[in-house]
Every structure is written in C-alpha cells, then in structure tokens.
C-alpha cells in the first residue's frame, strides 16, 4: 500500500513539475551545447520560432512540451554548468487589480475579427486568473470561454528553479450559457474512465536508426503547432484539433483526450447539446493573419450505436433522407443545424444569434462510414479514409484521431477533402492571401490582398494557359508552340558497348523531387506581361522566355536539359526562367538573343513556408520508420528495405500512412496549379469560371517548379557523369536506369576520399533530392524490352531490389499502391 501511495505522490509531483530555468539560462545552455533553435524545435516537434520565444521570454512552453523541454535543459545543465554567480531572482507575479478581477471564471464572448475568427493581441495577464492570454473580451485580457487556470500558490510564489514554467493542472470544463433545457456538459473528471491513449500520438526524433525506449507523451500531438509567430500562451495548450468519442463497458462516454468534457447523456439530443457547449476543439491558425479551422469529433461504431445511428451509411436516398431528418430534428432542439448533406464527414453548427448558445461549428467524422456513400460523399472524406484505416484494415476512430493530431502538428493545418485541396489549404494557411484593415474613421473592417499575394481571375497568357484552356487550343490549332515544361517522360538511348557488358540494370528514384527545390524557388506571383527585348538580369525575374537552344551543344549521354522528351529541340520555344538560367550558366547560352518574354510583375519565394511545413512532416514521419539524414548508403538501403514492415507497431503504422499522405499533398498541391484533364468538367464555361478564374489556377507556377526539378535532376546526373563516367540509359519522370555489375546502386555513387558522398551528385537517402533503390533488373530483360521499342522503366515493378522476378499479379498489386512518381505534380 505504501508503494502505491508513494507512486501516486510521484505522479502528482511530475504532473505539476515547473523545473525550467529562466529564459536567459535556456539560451545559454543551447549556445553552450552548440545547438540551433531549429535542432531543438525538431527534437520537440515544434516550430523554431516557438523555441526562440521560450528563450526571449515572449512565449511559455505548454504543459505537453514542458516535461520534454525540462529533460533537455537538465541534461544540458549537467554537461555545461553555469559559472558561479548569484541566482537570478524569479520575476514577481503580475498583479491583477482588484477592481478588474472577476470573482470566478465565467462564460464570455471574445473579441472577433470581421471574418468571425478570434482577434489576437500581445499577451497580457487574464483579468480572471492572471495567466497570459492573447485574447480580449470587450478589450480586457481574457481566456477562451472563461477557461481560466486557477492561480495556485506554486504559480504565485517565487521559485528560483522555475520562475516561468507552465502549470499543468487540468483546465476546468467551460461554464456554458445554454438555457436550462439544455443539459450542461459533464467535466472530464466526472466522465467515464478514459481509455489509455495510444503510444503513437507523439514520436521523438530517431537518432542513429534506433527507436528510443522512453514512452511517448499521450497527447503531445493534440496541440496545434503555431508557425511563424513566437507568442503563445497557456490558452493555446487547451485547444485540440480532434477528439474520438467512444463508449465504455458500463455505457459511459470515453474520450481519447481526457481534458475534453464528455456529453451529459446518451441521447442524440444530448450529443448535439454537447457539441454546442463550446468544446475546446479547434485547429489553431498557422499564421497570425490566417484563419484557424473547426475542430473535429470522430465517432466510433459503439458511439453510433449508443446514439441510435446506423452502423453503415444508408444506401438509398429514402433512408438517407430519413436519417437527415432525424438528426436535424435532434439538432434543432438545441439550436444546432447540420450540413445540407450527410455522409462520412459533415458539419454541425449554430448560427450567431440562434437560441441555445453561442455561435459554433464542429466537423463530424464517422469512422465506420468512411469509404461508403456515393462519389460525392466519398470525395469529401477521401483523405480521412487512410487516416482512419488501422493496420488490420478496419476504420477506427481512435486511430483517426491520433493520426489527425499528428498531421495537424506536423503541417499546421487540418487535412482537407483530398491531397490536392489540402496542399492549397496549407498554402493559404501559412501564407494568407488577404489581410483585414480597420478604417479608423468609420470603424469598418475590409480585406485587402497582401503584398505578393496571388490574384484571382483568369490571368493566363497563351503560351502557358494549361492543356485544357481555350487559349492553348487556339495556339495549337494555328501550329504555334506553347510552353512544354514537364518532367522527363520515356527518354532512352542506345546502350554503349561497355554498358552492354554489365549484367544488371539498377533503377534509382528521386525522393520528393519537387520538395527539394521549392524552398527558395522564386515564382511568378503577379500576372505575366509581354515584354519585347527583355532584360535578363541574371534570371531574377520569373516568367517565360522565347529562346532558341537548337545550336547549343549538350551532353550526349544524358537527356537534353531543356525538353521533357530528352531530345534536342527543333526550334525556338517558350521556357521558364530556371531552364534558361541553367542553359546560360552551364552550356553558354546567350540570353541577349531572347527577343520577347512574358514576365511576372512580382517574383517571390511563394512556397517557402509551405515547403518548410511539408518537408518537416515528411522527414519526421520517415524518421519514425528508421530513415533519417546522415545514414551511410548501406544503412539507408537496409532501413529502406524494411521500412514498410510495420507489424503491430502503431508508431510505424501511423508514420507509414502519414509519410504517404505528405508525399501526395506536395505532389497534388503542385499539380493543382494546372488542374489537369483528370479533373475535367463537362462544361467549358463552368471550367473557365470555377477553375481558371481562381487564384489556385496558375499553370506558369507549376511550369517553374517542374522545370526547376528537372534541371536539378539533370545537374545531379551531369555531375555524376563527370565524376564516375556513368550515365543513365533510360529516364522516366525522376526514375533512372543505370547499367551495373551488381544488383545494387552502391557502385554508382561518387564519393570523396573519406568515403562521404559528393554534394550535388547521385546519393542515397530519404531527404528530398536524394535517391532510393527501386529495383534491379537483369540486363537481358532490359535489352529484350528495348528491342520491342518499349521503355525499360516498365520493368521496374516486375523485379525486387535484389533482382528477383515478381509474380505478375503481385507486381500489379504493388504497382497500384507503390510510389511510381508517375503522379508527380498531379498531371
């Protein structure tokens, strides 16, 4: 019994630990260890701006991060003790004027922007609890919905060890202003015992390819990570993007986030009343000028049964209409409304001024219904399906919620309906297109495009209007050229006599080729304008240039750098700035010969923030699969060969799913710029009004990205050729086939004298721009296929990396789900 008591006390002490040194000491420890804010941010899975905020005192670590951050600082303090000096006194607590303090936390309406989002200000002490808050209620600092953390003696008394540490006491349930007819939400402490959270919701950075033995923090990934701002408060730690609602054996509700209060009763009306109480569910904004997103509640099969909802989505219109009417009636009883259509994902909301409570909106995902319904219903939840699919193939709400929280932490935005739409949502979230400005004279708010924002409207120019635009068809009908900046497609050459003497063809593939070039790539954000005799200015202006490369000599063993088919051009054509710059700097092309160009009025690194979020999530997910930067080629090949073998490990299973989603998001997001024929709409007028006129339809942006990725690939191939004399004999997209002596790419890699890879050449690794081993094919099979005038890359999925032939049925199955990069860019 005494041991149990001591353990309970130890757990309690751990829960209220506040052992963080003062901000200046945090910075001293980091500098003494030679670490950067980005390295610490990567280890703690937060934004580097947040780490800087912790060190300059403008931000406070949340309760989910504090234990890990304290562990890091303790370890650094043991290795780098401070010189003997008088301990810095702890800052006194900020006093709250008695006339400002309210007697108890109460439900308040926070100040809002004109778009309905919460207004944010500099952090100031809340008038109710004294803790920092960036929100205001009638101009006074206040926490969200009165969710104030009681000021404890530990928080007020000066403690030299941790004067600015975040308290971890659980926040009380919000007090609602709902009428008496609406049952109040039950606090989390009164709800049924919560199911233990899965260990996969948060994953420390993997070092050396070994997984740490320490347990994972259950809900670290539940808090949305701010990006691009250093100010954060304890209020931010009380928002979760999603919660899974389940039922315990005794019939009580179970939530996988214990801090979220449970519904008061088992009826459908109780559930709708709970949704309208102001739950702490929200996806926080990724940029101070951006918008946040609605929180999500995911229902399990048991929750459906308890609420009296069908286990499967009705398959007939009559049954679906009856279900809609039943749910709408229960929602209306507490002033709530439903989306016009019910499916695997829908919204429940209350309009401003409606009876029953404040304005609110919550997204509902029904895990057992995912993958069901008509094409429209499935399309609205296409990205939710892999998030909810457990390793055994079932649709699991707890799995969905766990992965959803990790997704929002990694990217800073909730998953949208599809990968392509999520890519656009992320761009709008991290680089908002509009800002709200208040007219001081009238007090009215209005929105204006931000500097460098992408304009709306159909701004296409004839040479770069996209495959389905009427402007393109007009030029083609006249026999005039259009811009054809695309990935390499189906290029091959005759093998040399030396290459035919090798027994193997080894296929290597570029990892995240677009993601390796978009970070600092300067893209056209303004409309393109025709300029005669343009000034080249070193290629600093994004645009399309009328250039003639027909007389420029290039490497004969490599595909031509300026064409997607790899053959030399037969005349002048329209090329994006990256292609012209490479031809000028590498092969001596004279830009002064360019007679006209379509140049952008604004050139900006449009995807810098977007790339940072996607690349960070991509690398974190692969780190959980044992693939990290800095691995030797042998270590990488061994780890990559087994990275899909997740077994029953939920961490690896989650990481594999998320890594695939992140790849699809960057591919689909870039492909969305051109809205390919795959997304064809039957009515041309509708297409022009709904697609070509939107800010997300900018084919010239995609042309610049694709051209840059193709040029980067050619640069690596050329440097490898110069160092090793080896060149690919076939290229498709970013997959290359080399002749080799062994069924391994190791012999193809240029290395320095110390055995390390040569920068800018062919190298193995999971980082964007590095390569992975796709397959090893007997050269006899390659020559046979090429003899039939077929491209040898068709054999890639017929053989394993060790050269073993795969059964055709198995090859077809693997080809359907494998990353072929044929979908690169979504076109």
């Amino acid at each position: 019994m005494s041991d149990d008591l001591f353990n309970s006390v130890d757990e309690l002490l751990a829960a209220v630990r506040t052992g963080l040194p003062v901000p200046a000491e945090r910075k001293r420890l980091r500098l003494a260890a030679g670490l950067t804010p980005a390295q610490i941010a990567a280890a703690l899975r937060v934004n580097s701006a947040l780490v800087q905020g912790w060190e300059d005192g403008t931000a406070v670590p949340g309760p989910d991060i504090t234990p890990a951050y304290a562990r890091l600082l303790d370890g650094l303090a043991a290795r780098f003790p401070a010189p003997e000096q008088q301990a810095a006194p702890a800052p006194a607590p900020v006093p709250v004027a008695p006339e400002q303090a309210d007697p108890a936390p109460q439900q308040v309406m926070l100040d809002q922007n004109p778009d309905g989002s919460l207004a944010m200000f500099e952090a100031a002490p809340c008038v109710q609890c004294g803790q920092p808050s960036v929100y205001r209620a009638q101009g006074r600092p206040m926490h969200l919905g009165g969710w104030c953390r009681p000021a404890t003696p530990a928080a007020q008394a000066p403690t030299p060890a941790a004067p600015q540490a975040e308290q971890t006491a659980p926040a009380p349930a919000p007090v609602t202003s709902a009428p008496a007819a609406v049952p109040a939400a039950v606090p989390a402490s009164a709800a049924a015992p919560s199911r233990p959270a899965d260990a996969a919701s948060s994953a420390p950075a993997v070092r050396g390819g070994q997984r740490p033995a320490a347990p994972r923090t259950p809900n670290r990934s539940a808090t949305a990570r701010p990006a691009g701002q250093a100010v954060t408060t304890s209020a931010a730690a009380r928002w979760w993007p999603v919660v899974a609602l389940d039922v315990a054996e005794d019939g009580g509700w179970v939530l996988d986030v214990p801090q979220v209060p449970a519904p008061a009763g088992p009826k459908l009306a109780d559930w709708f009343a709970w949704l309208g109480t102001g739950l702490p569910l929200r996806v926080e904004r990724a940029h101070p000028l951006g918008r946040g997103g609605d929180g999500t509640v995911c229902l399990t099969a048991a929750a459906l049964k308890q609420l009296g909802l069908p286990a499967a989505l009705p398959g007939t219109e009559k049954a679906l209409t009856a279900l809609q009417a039943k749910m709408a009636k229960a929602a209306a009883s507490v002033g709530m409304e439903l989306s016009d259509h019910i499916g695997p994902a829908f919204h429940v909301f209350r309009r401003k001024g409606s009876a029953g409570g404040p304005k609110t909106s919550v997204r509902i995902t029904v895990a057992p219904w995912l993958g069901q319904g008509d094409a429209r219903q499935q399309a609205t939840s296409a990205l939710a399906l892999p998030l909810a699919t457990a390793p055994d193939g079932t649709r699991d709400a707890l799995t969905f919620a766990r992965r959803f929280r990790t997704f929002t932490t990694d990217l800073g935005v909730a998953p949208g309906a599809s990968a392509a739409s999520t890519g656009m949502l992320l761009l709008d979230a991290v680089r908002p297109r509009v800002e709200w400005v208040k007219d001081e004279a009238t007090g009215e708010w209005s929105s204006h495009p931000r500097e460098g924002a992408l304009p709306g409207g159909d701004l296409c120019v004839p040479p770069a209007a996209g495959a389905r635009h009427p402007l393109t068809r007009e030029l083609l009908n006249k026999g005039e050229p259009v811009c054809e900046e695309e990935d390499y497609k189906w290029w091959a050459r005759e093998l040399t006599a030396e290459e035919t003497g090798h027994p193997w063809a080894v296929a290597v593939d570029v990892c995240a080729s677009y993601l390796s070039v978009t970070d600092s790539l300067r893209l056209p954000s303004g409309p393109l304008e025709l300029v005669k005799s343009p000034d080249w200015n070193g290629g600093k202006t994004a645009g399309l240039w009328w250039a003639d490369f027909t007389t420029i000599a290039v490497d004969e063993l490599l595909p031509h750098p300026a064409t997607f088919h790899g053959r030399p051009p037969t005349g002048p054509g329209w090329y994006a700035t990256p292609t012209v710059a490479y031809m000028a700097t590498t092969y001596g092309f004279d830009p002064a010969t360019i007679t006209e160009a379509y140049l952008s009025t604004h050139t900006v690194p449009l995807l810098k923030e977007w790339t940072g979020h996607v690349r960070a999530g991509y690398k974190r997910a692969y780190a959980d699969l044992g693939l990290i930067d800095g691995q030797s080629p042998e270590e990488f090949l061994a780890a990559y060969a087994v990275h899909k073998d997740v077994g029953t490990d939920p961490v690896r299973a989650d990481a594999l799913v998320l890594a695939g989603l992140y790849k699809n998001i960057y591919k689909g997001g870039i492909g969305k710029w051109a809205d390919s024929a795959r997304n064809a709409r039957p009515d041309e007028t509708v297409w022009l009004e709904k697609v070509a006129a939107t800010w997300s339809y900018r084919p010239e942006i995609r042309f610049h990205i694709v051209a840059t990725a193709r040029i980067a690939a050619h640069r690596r191939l050329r440097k490898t050729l110069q160092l090793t004399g080896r060149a690919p004999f076939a290229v498709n997209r970013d997959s290359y086939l080399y002749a080799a002596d062994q069924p391994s790419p190791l012999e193809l890699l240029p290395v320095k004298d110390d055995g390390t890879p040569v920068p800018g050449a062919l190298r193995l690794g999971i980082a964007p721009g590095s390569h992975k081993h796709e397959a090893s094919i007997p050269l006899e099979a390659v020559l046979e296929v090429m003899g039939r005038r077929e491209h040898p890359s068709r054999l890639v999925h017929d053989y394993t990396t060790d050269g073993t032939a795969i059964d055709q049925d198995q090859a077809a199955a693997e080809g359907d789900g494998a990353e072929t990069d044929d979908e690169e860019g979504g076109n």
Side-chain angles (χ1 to χ4, degrees), residues 150-452:
T152 63
Q156 297 176 358
T159 54
Q164 298 195 21
E166 174 78 342
Q167 301 300 306
T168 57
V175 180
T176 71
S177 57
V182 181
V186 179
S189 59
S194 175
R195 175 179 303 181
D198 282 296
S201 60
S202 169
V206 177
R207 293 181 173 84
Q210 296 181 353
R211 188 171 306 285
R216 296 168 183 267
T217 306
N219 289 314
R220 187 208 64 80
S221 62
T223 303
R225 174 185 60 194
Q229 61 180 22
V231 178
T232 186
T233 70
S234 57
R238 288 190 285 274
W239 288 98
W240 288 267
V242 65
V243 64
L245 184 64
D246 200 2
V247 180
E249 294 182 358
D250 62 359
W253 293 112
V254 178
L255 298 163
D256 68 335
V257 177
Q259 293 86 344
V260 177
K267 297 182 179 179
L268 194 57
D270 298 329
W271 181 62
F272 280 113
W274 173 70
L275 294 175
T277 57
L279 299 175
L281 298 176
R282 184 168 180 79
V283 178
E284 285 285 28
R285 65 185 73 192
H287 187 283
L289 297 180
R291 293 186 178 186
D294 291 340
T296 298
V297 173
C298 189
L299 300 179
T300 65
L304 283 177
K305 183 177 181 181
Q306 178 131 304
L307 294 172
L309 300 176
L313 189 65
T316 65
E317 190 64 30
K318 180 179 179 180
L320 193 62
T321 301
L323 174 62
Q324 174 101 16
K326 173 183 177 181
M327 297 180 67
K329 181 178 180 181
S333 67
V334 292
M336 302 287 285
E337 298 179 56
L338 301 175
S339 302
D340 292 336
H341 301 283
I342 293 296
F346 58 95
H347 272 87
V348 175
F349 59 94
R350 181 187 289 120
R351 301 179 190 273
K352 184 177 181 180
S354 297
K359 176 183 177 182
T360 188
S361 178
V362 183
R363 186 173 180 83
I364 308 300
T365 299
V366 185
W369 293 357
L370 290 170
Q372 301 177 13
D374 57 26
R376 176 185 52 80
Q377 291 170 320
Q378 293 187 38
T380 59
S381 57
L383 211 61
L385 182 58
L387 286 173
T389 304
D392 62 1
T394 59
R395 312 287 190 259
D396 179 53
L398 298 177
T399 298
F400 172 84
R402 186 178 66 239
R403 292 173 179 171
F404 191 110
R405 284 191 288 268
T406 304
F407 185 104
T408 55
T409 301
D410 284 343
L411 299 192
V413 67
S418 66
S421 64
T422 302
M424 292 292 104
L425 290 173
L426 177 59
L427 180 59
D428 208 8
V430 300
R431 193 181 180 89
R433 300 183 55 253
V434 300
E435 59 185 352
W436 288 87
V437 179
K438 183 178 182 180
D439 189 324
E440 296 299 335
T442 63
E444 297 293 328
W445 288 84
S446 60
S447 62
H448 301 278
R450 296 181 65 216
E451 180 69 24

Side-chain angles (χ1 to χ4, degrees), residues 604-695:
V604 296
L606 188 66
L607 297 180
K608 184 175 182 61
E609 301 87 355
W610 183 89
T611 302
H613 282 70
V614 179
R615 185 164 56 190
Y618 167 92
K619 296 180 73 172
R620 186 212 58 78
Y622 274 115
D624 278 350
L625 296 169
L627 298 166
I628 59 175
D629 290 343
Q631 289 176 310
S632 68
E634 294 80 5
E635 290 173 336
F636 170 75
L637 290 176
Y640 191 82
V642 299
H643 82 282
K644 293 185 179 180
D645 300 336
V646 299
T648 59
D649 184 352
V651 175
R652 291 178 62 84
D654 290 358
L656 188 62
V657 169
L658 292 173
L661 290 181
Y662 298 157
K663 288 188 292 184
N664 289 335
I665 285 169
Y666 86 75
K667 293 177 182 180
I670 291 172
K672 191 71 173 175
W673 295 120
D675 196 78
S676 65
R678 177 174 314 168
N679 301 319
R681 291 165 174 80
D683 190 301
E684 181 178 290
T685 302
V686 173
W687 183 86
L688 288 173
E689 293 177 352
K690 302 296 184 182
V691 179
T694 64
W695 67 271

